[in-house]
Amino acid sequence: MKALYLAQIDRQLFAVDKERVIGVSSCNSGFFKPIEEGGRRYLPLPYGNRAMICDVQSLVTGPGGQAPARQGGHYLIVAADEELMALAMTGKGRIVTADVAAARPLPPAFTGPSRMLVPGVLVNGLDLILLLDLQAVLETTVDRQVECRTEEKR
């Protein structure tokens, strides 16, 4: 059994290792307004730290979807190696305990980048809980931002 942080992003449940969670911040907080620097969006944090904002929903489903950072939303602040990331989520989330050894592979309906970002799925009744690979999320976000900056220069 392992402690996971369960986050709802749009209508999908995602889970990350609880040990990687730094905290949760409100998207509507007047204190923590996102900033853009070098083509990347960051959420300023206390003590001069900052977290790169990652839109997991668009990484999994492709661009064009609406980001969940809206009224009542929150950012889940997580650590991926030496980098901090802010994952936009729909609610506050919660800590759960699950048997990650029982994780199943993604169903065939999931294609493309989602296979790299989500190494496994936990089934909880009718709910599918997607296990996120934070390092893959970070790398994909950085790659996508570099790709967008290159297209803007053209």
Side-chain angles (χ1 to χ4, degrees):
M1 299 298 269
K2 187 168 189 125
L4 301 171
Y5 191 90
L6 189 64
Q8 183 175 345
I9 300 176
D10 198 27
R11 291 183 211 113
Q12 181 60 57
L13 295 173
F14 290 88
V16 297
D17 188 348
K18 182 189 110 18
E19 294 175 5
R20 298 283 196 106
V21 175
I22 305 300
V24 175
S25 173
S26 172
C27 291
N28 302 314
S29 167
F31 188 69
F32 298 112
K33 294 243 186 238
I35 57 172
E36 191 162 333
E37 184 179 296
R40 295 186 181 153
R41 292 186 63 220
Y42 293 96
L43 184 67
L45 300 173
Y47 308 109
N49 294 317
R50 64 186 185 171
M52 184 186 337
I53 297 175
C54 300
D55 183 2
V56 172
Q57 181 183 356
S58 73
L59 292 177
V60 172
T61 62
Q66 183 180 2
R70 53 182 174 264
Q71 279 302 93
H74 293 80
Y75 287 110
L76 176 63
I77 313 301
V78 295
D81 288 335
E82 300 296 318
E83 187 78 36
L84 294 177
M85 294 187 299
L87 309 179
M89 52 182 193
T90 308
K92 286 185 180 178
R94 63 186 178 273
I95 296 173
V96 298
T97 305
D99 182 9
V100 291
R104 300 178 182 172
L106 279 177
F110 288 85
T111 60
S114 58
R115 291 218 161 268
M116 179 180 63
L117 300 171
V118 181
V121 175
L122 294 173
V123 179
N124 182 23
L126 296 176
D127 291 327
L128 290 180
I129 301 170
L130 306 180
L131 301 173
L132 275 179
D133 179 340
L134 293 177
Q135 189 60 38
V137 170
L138 177 64
E139 291 169 6
T140 304
T141 298
V142 169
D143 290 347
R144 185 172 283 178
Q145 289 173 348
V146 167
E147 194 175 285
C148 288
R149 277 200 314 266
T150 304
E151 287 177 11
E152 288 173 1
K153 290 181 182 179
R154 290 181 189 170

